Amino acid sequence: MSLIRVENLAKEYVNGEVVTPVLRGVSFTVEPGEFVAIMGPSGSGKSTLMHILSFLDRPSTGRYEFEGLDTSEFSDEYLAGLRNERVGFVFQSFNLLARTSVLDNVKLPLLYSRVKKSETLAKEALAAVGLSHRLDYFTNQISGGEKQRVAIARALVNNPAVLFADEPTGNLDSKSGNTVMQILQNLNDQGRTIILVTHEQETARHARRILRVKDGAILADERVLDRVLAFSDKELVK
Amino acid sequence: MNFFSTIQLVFRTLRARKGRSLLTILGIVIGVAGVIIIIALGAGAQSLVLGQVTKLGSNLISVQPGKSNEKGPPAAVFGITVTTLVNSDIDAIRDQGNVPHATAITGVVQGSGSVIWGNKSVDTNFWGTDGGFPGVMNITMEAGRFFDKAEADGGANVVVLGKSVGDQLFAGTGMDPVGQVIKIKGAKATEAGGVPLRIVGVVAERGSVFGNDQDDQVYVPLPIGQQQLLGIRYLQAINLKVDAAENVSSTIADINRILMQRHRIQREVDADFTIRNLADAISILTTITDALRIFLTAMAAIALLVGGIGILNIMLVTVAERTREIGLRKAVGATNSAVRNQFLLEASLLTSLGGALGIIFGVIISYLAAVGIRTLGYDWAFEISFVSIGLAVGVSILTGVLFGLYPAFKAAKFNPIDALRYE
Ligand SMILES: Nc1ncnc2c1ncn2[C@@H]1O[C@H](COP(=O)(O)OP(=O)(O)O)[C@@H](O)[C@H]1O
Ligand SMILES: [Mg+2]
């Protein structure tokens, strides 16, 4: 059973008279344990696709099966549960809660689940991204790279089946970006399914598979033969 | 998400947004405290005014010389001396056969003068009156007695002191005022050295009515007041007390008939006297103070509105930020109902805290105002209306909860990504 299977997925935005088609019939599957990069120029519909896959948005038409189930049947409540437990999302712009500590930010998803040991889980997730020394810092007291690692820890804290990352290095300098990519590669090596969006070929080559998107359609679906491995910085990631 | 973690979350949110939380609370505090204070002041003012009037005694009728328009003031107010009411009019009214429901009747004149005892002199007001005065004016004695009808009619050389006059003359001397002889000087220049009068009693404390100290007075028999102190032969008023409120109007009719007859007047419009009734005065004052209350209630409503608009303002300013926050919460798995519970609890906490503080401040300030006004010598009641508290708190909580929930309801309609991108 595929983890994700989309068939003829389409999305259009309607603004009064104006109809903007953004996705025009997308079909592909993702198996557990894959590391897929969705790559394409700006405005090609990558983010829109990611939002639909991660249950932040719904498609206009087409079929989306998650873990073998047709998602069009799911209620809002059920989708909230999936967002909470089955998927994690890392945004380009971090989207951390202001005036809140790093630890509390990571605990946020656990607030909406039935998990008991939220403190322990959040600390473990922060350890996995090398931020054990920043637990009590507020989000305005840490660097951009650290913010993105907090966001990754938050996405991981509920042990999701798949981690979505939408241009996670887009707002970072190359060194921090590299650290983030290394964390993602490590996670994938440990078996985590990862779907990454980027407009840079270089970043996409960190994945094992690239889906090339243009104007809301998939141009190519290719294996990465010349895979880039993010340099290992033992000080940052333990 | 359980109740306990919601509470934790809400406290964390409120602490993280101190400024917004404090402003919201402030809006509610102003609204609630404003309503309580304004309504309490209105109630205090009303009780003050009505209390002053009823202190004069209920079922009182006053006959004054000169014709006046029903609602307007009597002629004497304009400095016109009217001499049409005389001592024999009292006797005619006092005749039980003529005015059956009058329980006490007194004729009065008033003036200012000075009272001298030993080397002490006190400027005060005197009443020339008769034995009916205590019954009409609800006077109780602290010492001695009031002079009786025979003493009053015969112009005996006796005097009754008001409480503060007694204190000014005798406090600290260790002497009993009763039995002492004082001298009193009125406006009439002829009596050199003053009229010697023996004190027969001291009246118990009466307080003040409309700022007039009722204890800074002395009472002398009518002939002494009229002839020796004022040099007049007429009365300034005849006051009487009626046995029951329902007999006031028939008593007025009785008096009117008797005086018309005695003064040989045929037509009502030619009457040379005016009959006034305290119940009428009370009802006029009640109308005025009720109008005051309505006005104050309107002001209270404005205070509440201002508070509510303050809350609305703060909520609207933060609605975009809060909508994005809700988007994020939904993105990590919050259901619409979890978000709604959080916002409901948050708004309830803020508004109940604001409401409680508003009540405390409102009550304290109303109390301090009452104490302050009392030290100025007014008989000001400290009255808190529970209806006003309920109304104020109800409205502010409603405003707070409605506007607090607004972003939550708004965001519930969006899918998470649209809420997250809301601007
Ligand atoms: N809410 C919206 N209403 C209308 N058009 C939108 C909306 N969101 C995105 N779009 C349009 O959809 C297209 C694809 O957007 P997006 O998926 O963000 O592209 P990418 O992530 O590949 O840069 C863009 O042209 C964008 O303008
Ligand atoms: Mg994008």
Side-chain angles (χ1 to χ4, degrees):
Chain A
M1 180 182 68
S2 304
L3 178 66
I4 286 170
R5 196 171 86 82
V6 294
E7 210 176 291
N8 243 342
L9 202 69
K11 175 79 180 179
E12 55 190 30
Y13 291 105
V14 184
N15 255 328
E17 297 284 284
V18 192
V19 179
T20 320
V22 177
L23 294 176
R24 312 157 191 262
V26 178
S27 304
F28 63 90
T29 58
V30 176
E31 302 304 323
E34 278 199 274
F35 189 163
V36 185
I38 297 173
M39 205 194 102
S42 184
S44 55
K46 309 180 296 291
S47 294
T48 307
L49 177 60
M50 286 280 269
H51 295 149
I52 292 170
L53 295 181
S54 58
F55 312 112
L56 296 176
D57 204 351
R58 289 196 189 246
S60 303
T61 59
R63 191 174 169 86
Y64 172 22
E65 281 174 20
F66 185 76
E67 296 182 321
L69 298 172
D70 179 6
T71 58
S72 68
E73 314 264 305
F74 295 165
S75 67
D76 281 349
E77 294 270 301
Y78 191 80
L79 289 176
L82 286 180
R83 286 195 295 273
N84 188 232
E85 291 174 357
R86 301 306 294 154
V87 305
F89 203 103
V90 176
F91 301 89
Q92 178 177 352
S93 54
F94 320 131
N95 280 325
L96 300 178
L97 280 181
R99 297 173 285 254
T100 308
S101 75
V102 163
L103 186 63
D104 282 341
N105 263 285
V106 175
K107 277 159 78 176
L108 186 64
L110 301 174
L111 212 57
Y112 303 105
S113 67
R114 274 149 290 169
V115 167
K116 288 268 186 292
K117 310 165 290 177
S118 62
E119 189 89 9
T120 320
L121 287 177
K123 283 179 178 166
E124 277 170 17
L126 279 164
V129 296
L131 283 181
S132 293
H133 58 303
R134 292 278 186 268
L135 300 185
D136 295 325
Y137 280 58
F138 275 45
T139 47
N140 59 342
Q141 297 167 328
I142 57 176
S143 72
E146 287 174 326
K147 281 182 190 168
Q148 198 58 297
R149 281 146 67 194
V150 173
I152 294 173
R154 180 180 66 192
L156 285 176
V157 74
N158 253 339
N159 190 25
V162 51
L163 180 71
F164 294 94
D166 189 352
E167 314 232 18
T169 60
N171 283 358
L172 303 181
D173 60 85
S174 61
K175 185 163 177 283
S176 315
N178 221 308
T179 311
V180 166
M181 290 317 296
Q182 199 210 339
I183 291 170
L184 294 183
Q185 284 188 328
N186 278 350
L187 289 169
N188 179 246
D189 290 344
Q190 290 154 24
R192 185 89 52 192
T193 313
I194 292 175
I195 300 181
L196 166 79
V197 156
T198 178
H199 63 274
E200 296 166 338
Q201 172 74 19
E202 181 68 14
T203 309
R205 279 170 54 216
H206 286 76
R208 298 176 192 274
R209 174 186 169 197
I210 297 180
L211 284 174
R212 289 187 194 278
V213 180
K214 198 177 178 216
D215 294 334
I218 293 181
L219 292 184
D221 181 351
E222 47 195 55
R223 253 11 24 252
V224 179
L225 301 173
D226 52 345
R227 193 162 183 234
V228 178
L229 291 180
F231 65 78
S232 176
D233 185 343
K234 295 288 182 215
E235 286 309 301
L236 279 171
V237 181
K238 297 184 179 99
Chain B
M1 190 178 180
N2 62 29
F3 183 69
F4 181 68
S5 53
T6 308
I7 292 218
Q8 266 189 322
L9 168 66
V10 166
F11 272 110
R12 211 174 299 138
T13 312
L14 293 184
R15 228 178 309 126
R17 293 158 200 275
K18 280 193 206 77
R20 188 180 60 90
S21 311
L22 287 177
L23 282 174
T24 308
I25 291 173
L26 192 67
I28 298 166
V29 170
I30 290 174
V32 172
V35 169
I36 291 172
I37 293 166
I38 291 170
I39 304 241
L41 289 182
Q46 185 166 41
S47 75
L48 171 71
V49 172
L50 292 181
Q52 302 270 288
V53 175
T54 45
K55 204 149 98 185
L56 293 173
S58 45
N59 304 338
L60 263 188
I61 293 175
S62 180
V63 184
Q64 285 154 13
K67 180 67 187 170
S68 81
N69 168 301
E70 264 303 304
K71 303 284 178 224
V77 170
F78 300 112
I80 301 164
T81 310
V82 189
T83 58
T84 49
L85 212 56
V86 293
N87 295 27
S88 57
D89 287 332
I90 309 173
D91 299 322
I93 295 171
R94 196 180 277 143
D95 185 334
Q96 280 293 311
N98 289 337
V99 188
H101 295 296
T103 56
I105 300 174
T106 180
V108 292
V109 293
Q110 259 185 296
S112 57
S114 42
V115 175
I116 302 147
W117 181 74
N119 56 3
K120 284 187 197 163
S121 171
V122 173
D123 289 331
T124 185
N125 300 302
F126 63 83
W127 286 76
T129 185
D130 54 33
F133 192 82
V136 175
M137 302 306 278
N138 289 338
I139 279 174
T140 52
M141 303 303 294
E142 186 177 85
R145 58 182 180 83
F146 210 85
F147 44 79
D148 61 21
K149 184 176 187 311
E151 285 169 317
D153 291 350
N157 281 53
V158 291
V159 64
V160 170
L161 301 186
K163 173 94 170 95
S164 70
V165 176
D167 286 347
Q168 285 176 70
L169 291 179
F170 295 98
T173 63
M175 310 235 344
D176 182 4
V178 177
Q180 298 295 318
V181 175
I182 55 149
K183 282 184 181 170
I184 181 160
K185 275 202 263 187
K188 214 178 129 195
T190 52
E191 13 88 1
V195 184
L197 301 170
R198 190 165 43 82
I199 300 170
V200 293
V202 178
V203 170
E205 187 167 347
R206 295 177 67 199
S208 60
V209 174
F210 294 119
N212 282 332
D213 186 351
Q214 300 291 299
D215 299 310
D216 184 15
Q217 290 173 341
V218 299
Y219 309 89
V220 299
L222 204 42
I224 304 233
Q226 282 176 308
Q227 291 158 33
Q228 303 202 39
L229 297 179
L230 291 167
I232 59 174
R233 298 196 156 272
Y234 55 87
L235 286 174
Q236 288 169 344
I238 298 172
N239 294 333
L240 57 146
K241 190 164 196 168
V242 183
D243 54 7
E246 60 266 27
N247 296 325
V248 167
S249 52
S250 73
T251 305
I252 290 175
D254 289 342
I255 297 167
N256 196 44
R257 185 174 33 77
I258 294 164
L259 292 181
M260 295 275 279
Q261 209 176 358
R262 284 182 53 82
H263 296 188
R264 298 178 207 295
I265 292 162
Q266 308 297 325
R267 303 183 307 161
E268 288 272 342
V269 289
D270 296 329
D272 55 2
F273 57 89
T274 308
I275 306 174
R276 304 225 158 227
N277 158 11
L278 206 61
D280 286 351
I282 291 174
S283 83
I284 292 169
L285 283 173
T286 308
T287 314
I288 295 170
T289 53
D290 278 349
L292 182 76
R293 275 189 108 137
I294 291 168
F295 168 72
L296 289 175
T297 307
M299 281 185 48
I302 292 171
L304 210 51
L305 193 70
V306 170
I309 289 174
I311 300 166
L312 174 65
N313 240 325
I314 296 148
M315 296 295 183
L316 283 183
V317 165
T318 54
V319 87
E321 186 192 344
R322 299 234 79 187
T323 307
R324 285 194 292 275
E325 178 198 326
I326 293 168
L328 175 64
R329 293 183 182 279
K330 287 173 75 164
V332 300
T335 57
N336 282 332
S337 64
V339 169
R340 216 150 37 220
N341 288 345
Q342 180 199 335
F343 275 63
L344 186 64
L345 194 70
E346 182 184 311
S348 315
L349 267 176
L350 280 182
T351 48
S352 14
L353 190 63
L357 286 177
I359 292 174
I360 292 171
F361 280 123
V363 170
I364 289 178
I365 292 173
S366 310
Y367 178 73
L368 290 180
V371 169
I373 295 169
R374 270 185 214 149
T375 59
L376 295 178
Y378 293 96
D379 191 11
W380 188 271
F382 169 60
E383 240 178 76
I384 294 294
S385 144
F386 287 97
V387 176
S388 79
I389 293 183
L391 194 79
V393 171
V395 171
S396 345
I397 287 188
L398 199 70
T399 338
V401 168
L402 275 183
F403 296 132
L405 275 181
Y406 174 70
F409 276 110
K410 202 178 167 75
K413 287 186 305 205
F414 294 143
N415 60 43
I417 197 68
D418 288 335
L420 200 47
R421 285 172 171 170
Y422 184 85
E423 271 163 13

